[in-house]
Amino acid sequence: MRRKYLVLAGVLCIITVAAGGCKSGEEETVKNIKIGVTLYDQYDIFISEMMTEFTEYAADKEEESGVAINVEIMDASQSQLTQNEQVKSLIDKGCDVICVNLVDRTEPTSITDLAENNHVPIIFFNRELVAEDLERWAELYYVGADASESGTLEGELAADAFKTNSSMDKNGDGICQYVVLEGEAGHQDSIVRTEYSVNTMVEKGVETEKLGYAIANWNRAQAQTKTAAMLTQFDNKIELIIANNDDMALGAIDALKASQIPKEEWPGVVGIDGTDVGLNAVKNGEMLGTVYNDKEGQAQEMLNLAFVIATNGEKDEIPLLNGKYVRTPYHKVTLDNVEEYENKQGTAN
């Protein structure tokens, strides 16, 4: 069943799954737990959808376990300093565990120090920090997918489309002329997704030529502006637009719709995340495909890990790699299987 997105309004958003207090006592007396969450940007569609899943899983877990779960969500508005203060506030409010969607993956030190000094475990998610930083304290964890896998699958989508659809090769030279819409300058996921997508195309036998790229910061509006500029700059020579996420892919499509280019002459567009709107664009034939980032799986794994930590339970039931990581797989989505992933939306149980 379709559900409305989670609306995160204002500087703070408190979602109370059930009335709950602060830190619990012994394992056998745990009656309520408090989970804090701080997001790098509440307006990121993937993160918003994931938080919807997270709070619904929390409600299901509460019913299943009989333990009241109080979830408090804060928006850092892309400020690492703000996020550091939010973690301090969540600690002061007595959170048993805090889930952190890092603003700056290279700057977790302040958060880690706060958490260790106050003995509050941290689950980082979605924006992966440097491996060495995760080893600084035993109670640091990460839930998310492998960025290289998403790039590989995106490259496979693009290569398969170019090799099977001759109309993509506009000039008939057998070379795929492409541009890239990148998430953030210097961000690991942006770098890895771009590198692996292009390298995979080459490995799949597609000769490529990079015409240009633009930093669009994961943002649809910025991607539309940057794509419009590149469409003018390269005068209908672009055959493929590789976007690091669906929002930027959709921004490229917005620019194409606003251009004078007939739809049948559009370059192919591929994205990553499998958001609701991204899946709809695949279904409508506006995107060649997307790579599904399992927000349902990540939300459930993060909730399960947070619950075990907060209730002093056994981590054996959590699929932890090296005692630190919970990984979820990506999946390729095309017109052939998009309905399967549309049906997956909102199936929290």
Side-chain angles (χ1 to χ4, degrees):
M1 179 180 296
R2 304 297 307 160
R3 297 168 314 200
K4 294 182 179 179
Y5 291 172
L6 170 68
V7 178
L8 302 174
V11 178
L12 290 181
C13 176
I14 301 177
I15 302 171
T16 305
V17 175
C22 298
K23 287 185 178 296
S24 309
E26 298 300 319
E27 180 179 358
E28 63 270 19
T29 63
V30 171
K31 298 297 183 184
N32 56 72
I33 62 174
K34 186 166 186 177
I35 302 171
V37 183
T38 169
L39 308 177
Y40 96 98
D41 183 359
Q42 68 179 15
Y43 296 108
D44 183 300
I45 297 300
F46 177 82
I47 295 300
S48 177
E49 291 179 2
M50 183 180 174
M51 286 297 98
T52 298
E53 299 291 338
F54 185 78
T55 54
E56 294 205 5
Y57 279 123
D60 292 342
K61 191 72 171 180
E62 174 190 84
E63 183 177 352
E64 169 194 322
S65 66
V67 176
I69 302 174
N70 190 24
V71 178
E72 180 167 348
I73 298 177
M74 295 183 168
D75 173 34
S77 301
Q78 300 189 36
S79 167
Q80 189 59 61
L81 290 176
T82 298
Q83 189 166 67
N84 295 346
E85 289 301 314
Q86 288 175 347
V87 170
K88 183 178 184 302
S89 174
L90 290 168
I91 290 172
D92 290 343
K93 291 180 179 183
C95 286
D96 299 282
V97 59
I98 300 173
C99 302
V100 178
N101 179 219
L102 271 172
V103 173
D104 184 346
R105 63 178 290 270
T106 67
E107 293 293 339
T109 304
S110 296
I111 289 173
T112 299
D113 288 346
L114 277 168
E116 184 175 10
N117 291 339
N118 290 277
H119 309 290
V120 178
I122 299 288
I123 302 172
F124 295 101
F125 69 98
N126 181 256
R127 293 164 69 89
E128 187 170 349
L129 65 167
V130 179
E132 290 77 7
D133 287 330
L134 202 66
E135 297 295 332
R136 291 190 60 229
W137 182 41
E139 294 299 320
L140 302 178
Y141 306 90
Y142 179 75
V143 175
D146 185 341
S148 64
E149 182 184 11
S150 65
T152 297
L153 296 182
E154 185 177 41
E156 290 178 359
L157 285 171
D160 290 344
F162 189 80
K163 290 164 72 174
T164 58
N165 184 358
S166 59
S167 65
M168 280 187 66
D169 189 6
K170 294 182 180 183
N171 58 9
D173 64 354
I175 302 171
C176 182
Q177 278 82 27
Y178 72 94
V179 297
V180 181
L181 292 169
E182 296 190 353
E184 295 175 40
H187 190 281
Q188 182 196 33
D189 282 5
S190 294
I191 296 168
V192 171
R193 287 178 176 182
T194 299
E195 176 186 350
Y196 277 78
S197 61
V198 175
N199 288 348
T200 298
M201 289 181 66
V202 174
E203 290 170 4
K204 296 277 284 184
V206 175
E207 189 173 350
T208 62
E209 178 187 353
K210 182 178 181 179
L211 298 180
Y213 78 98
I215 304 294
N217 295 301
W218 313 109
N219 182 272
R220 182 170 180 167
Q222 291 186 37
Q224 179 178 359
T225 301
K226 299 293 178 67
T227 300
M230 289 193 290
L231 290 174
T232 299
Q233 179 182 357
F234 298 113
D235 191 25
N236 207 26
K237 294 177 182 176
I238 302 171
E239 297 172 343
L240 174 68
I241 299 174
I242 300 172
N244 285 167
N245 76 339
D246 280 358
D247 253 18
M248 293 188 295
L250 292 163
I253 291 168
D254 292 337
L256 289 166
K257 288 179 177 177
S259 73
Q260 301 301 312
I261 303 172
K263 189 173 187 297
E264 61 270 16
E265 296 179 16
W266 283 8
V269 181
V270 288
I272 295 173
D273 276 343
T275 60
D276 287 358
V277 282
L279 293 175
N280 192 55
V282 173
K283 188 174 183 178
N284 291 340
E286 296 172 340
M287 283 175 63
L288 295 174
T290 184
V291 179
Y292 197 83
N293 193 357
D294 189 3
K295 58 183 172 291
E296 294 86 5
Q298 290 177 32
Q300 187 170 32
E301 295 292 359
M302 185 164 70
L303 189 279
N304 287 340
L305 178 57
F307 184 86
V308 166
I309 291 170
T311 57
N312 308 310
E314 295 295 328
K315 297 191 185 76
D316 294 347
E317 63 191 70
I318 307 298
L320 282 171
L321 301 174
N322 301 321
K324 290 285 188 179
Y325 294 88
V326 179
R327 296 289 191 190
T328 57
Y330 286 100
H331 304 277
K332 287 186 289 187
V333 181
T334 65
L335 185 59
D336 292 336
N337 66 345
V338 65
E339 290 187 0
E340 173 187 344
Y341 290 91
E342 283 187 318
N343 293 336
K344 188 175 181 181
Q345 306 287 326
T347 56
N349 51 44

